[in-house]
Amino acid sequence: MKILVCISHVPDTTSKINFTDGDTKFDTNGVQFVINPNDEFGLTRAMWFKEKQGATVHVANVGGPETEPTLRKALAIGADEAIRVNTAATDGYSVAKQLANVVKDGGYDLVIGGRESIDYNGGMVPGMISKLTGANFVNTCINLEIEGENVTAIREIDGGKETLKTTLPLVVGGQKGLVEESDLRIPNMRGIMQARSKPLHVKEAVEASAETQSVTFEKPAPKGAVKLVDSVDELVNLLHNEAKVI
Amino acid sequence: MSILVYTESEEGKFKKIAFEAVSYAKGIADMMGTSVTAVSVNGGDSAQLGAYGASKVLEVSNDKLKEFNAEAYADMIAQAAKKEEAKVVVLTSSANCKFMAPLVAVNLEAGYVPNVTELPTGTAPFKVKHSVFTNKAFSNTEITTDVKVIGLAKNAFGVKENDTNVNTESFSPSLSDDDFSVNVLSVDKATDKVTIADAEIVVSGGRGLKGPENWGMLEELAATLGAATACSKPVSDMGWRPHSEHVGQTGKPVASNLYIAIGISGAIQHLAGINSSKVKVVINNDPEAPFFKAADYGIVGDAFEVVPQLTEKLKEFKAQNA
Ligand SMILES: Cc1cc2nc3c(=O)[nH]c(=O)nc-3n(C[C@H](O)[C@H](O)[C@H](O)COP(=O)(O)OP(=O)(O)OC[C@H]3O[C@@H](n4cnc5c(N)ncnc54)[C@H](O)[C@@H]3O)c2cc1C
């Protein structure tokens, strides 16, 4: 089985979010970039397939050279090869088109992405890749088993979960549950050394226009100070009469 | 031309988000000088959708569509959009809508923007505001394609009545075997509990509750309020509560009217998941807990004392206001 894990390069979860150039650009100053947490679960599940079922694992990212350390980290965790599509990731649809092209060229059986990336929260790239390549698709996937061509997947639904049956080729939008958090891998010294000599291919982008464009950013209005209350009587009163939520 | 909106239902009844989505679609229709067509699959009484501004309802009754199927539903919505020459397709932020939205977008070669919080600021160019960076910011985004797909954020717009005459029409999409290559084997849903996605009120506990055996008091508070229960990440990591209750950046987002956080410190990753809740109440014994900075109301105190008192008080309040 040939697996492609799509890796989004995102600000780490504790990052302060600021904008520059008249609120038109994300301020990367002092921001540490990491593998998107949802993709990390997918990458670890892919490593499981590699070790238990003999799969090959490639990782891909659409972005400029600044994203290469994130791809190297994925190689250090155990991916065999990395591909960087050399263009700015402007919107979800255009990223999906680039990745669909990688999928077609590479003949992957399974593509794993994250349910969403934690920067733009688009939640669209895996679904769009599936549609563009004609593969089956399971979103918010929390369990994935593959036997030959046959797939059993569990996905999270509002208020529960659903077990699905499908076949390869498949695209998955994954999240926590694909593997447990305690199973996530931290690159060790040996992995880091090996990653240096693993192939990182730079692929030129295909023509793919963006359908959406972020024009300006805003931050939520600053919040007023908390009202501290001494008694539950007062709290119930405020929730009823002032906030009007009960 | 029209605005197309998908209205979700369960067991023949529309969900509240369906009414919210129709209200929102009506808002766009007014801006663009057009009308709203709703798609309803084995749904409720179509006149109900008229109350929020739909003037036409495409009623789909198809046994194959009894259970949600992302590919088939996406195909159906794309066909309806083409038939109605819809310029905008409005979906919600339910798990099912988020599953099919990217498929609808590719089907229609349409730009898709999820988590939209307001009506467009303009329709030519078409610009919408949506939350990004897990609710830590908003982006004003222009959609440049002819057809646009919008994913409305939950509870962001509310329901707005708008009495409209409804015409209904039955609609039979043409679906092929390819639409059914992913099949449901089983569904496991807690039917007796309010879910985080649907809840107006969420009662959430953190590591401050010390252990799973102490969740009884939290569940009682939730039952009194008709609320869903939730938790912080370490709580689900330690197995005190199911993963489906984990709220935050790596868990679920909560967009309820009221969020009550008990024994939760208010780490940035947790706050990211609850930013779009309207009113936040914090109960924490540490006055320095960061959550107080994000809260509207707070009680500095021991959860083991405050929570049972609060439940009692709310029971009294309910008895008086019943
Ligand atoms: C990549 C990444 C992603 C993450 N994603 C998430 C996420 O999605 N959601 C999430 O929640 N966290 C997430 N976290 C973890 C987050 O950083 C915090 O560790 C977590 O939110 C803390 O949970 P807590 O507040 O329950 O526990 P603690 O930090 O242990 O805080 C417990 C609180 O309870 C109070 N307390 C103790 N006893 C009592 C009492 N008797 N009465 C009242 N109050 C009491 C304490 O004062 C304290 O404020 C993530 C972390 C990382 C690194």
Side-chain angles (χ1 to χ4, degrees), chain A residues 148-242:
Chain A
E149 294 291 297
N150 297 317
V151 179
T152 313
I154 301 180
R155 78 162 175 121
E156 196 171 78
I157 56 175
D158 291 334
K161 50 193 180 183
E162 191 175 80
T163 306
L164 301 167
K165 204 176 118 142
T166 186
T167 51
L168 297 177
L170 173 73
V171 180
V172 159
Q175 60 181 53
K176 178 169 140 183
L178 264 183
V179 297
E180 287 313 316
E181 187 151 322
S182 49
D183 294 333
L184 288 178
R185 303 190 180 184
I186 299 159
N188 56 25
M189 210 18 128
R190 193 160 153 256
I192 295 167
M193 296 306 286
Q194 282 175 343
R196 288 191 188 156
S197 55
K198 285 181 181 172
L200 192 163
H201 310 281
V202 177
K203 191 175 167 83
E204 284 318 313
V206 288
E207 176 77 39
S209 60
E211 268 77 9
T212 63
Q213 190 191 353
S214 212
V215 185
T216 52
F217 293 97
E218 289 171 34
K219 299 233 274 181
K223 254 195 53 57
V226 59
K227 246 186 208 174
L228 289 180
V229 297
D230 295 324
S231 71
V232 296
D233 295 80
E234 206 181 333
L235 179 63
V236 170
N237 178 30
L238 286 167
L239 291 179
H240 181 59
N241 292 312
E242 188 179 84

Side-chain angles (χ1 to χ4, degrees), chain B residues 202-206 259-264 270 280-284 291:
Chain B
V202 173
V203 174
S204 189
Y259 186 78
I260 305 181
I262 302 162
I264 303 179
H270 187 86
K280 297 157 205 120
V281 172
V282 169
I283 300 167
N284 197 305
F291 219 136

Side-chain angles (χ1 to χ4, degrees), chain A residues 106-185:
Chain A
Y108 296 96
D109 307 291
L110 173 67
V111 178
I112 309 181
R115 165 192 81 186
E116 67 176 20
S117 61
I118 62 166
D119 50 2
Y120 294 99
N121 310 108
M124 64 182 94
V125 169
M128 287 175 164
I129 296 173
S130 80
K131 195 79 199 167
L132 293 166
T133 59
N136 294 319
F137 176 47
V138 175
N139 203 20
T140 53
C141 186
I142 52 173
N143 195 294
L144 184 64
E145 307 286 343
I146 298 174
E147 285 292 331
E149 294 291 297
N150 297 317
V151 179
T152 313
I154 301 180
R155 78 162 175 121
E156 196 171 78
I157 56 175
D158 291 334
K161 50 193 180 183
E162 191 175 80
T163 306
L164 301 167
K165 204 176 118 142
T166 186
T167 51
L168 297 177
L170 173 73
V171 180
V172 159
Q175 60 181 53
K176 178 169 140 183
L178 264 183
V179 297
E180 287 313 316
E181 187 151 322
S182 49
D183 294 333
L184 288 178
R185 303 190 180 184

Side-chain angles (χ1 to χ4, degrees), chain A residues 13-14 37 181, chain B residues 205-210 231-235 246-252 262-271 283-286 289-290 301-304:
Chain A
T13 56
T14 55
E181 187 151 322
Chain B
R207 196 145 57 176
L209 288 185
K210 313 249 183 325
C231 66
S232 68
K233 180 168 171 291
V235 166
H246 153 203
V247 158
Q249 185 142 29
T250 49
K252 287 227 168 61
I262 302 162
I264 303 179
S265 56
I268 189 166
Q269 299 93 348
H270 187 86
L271 296 180
I283 300 167
N284 197 305
N285 62 3
D286 172 10
D302 186 348
F304 297 94

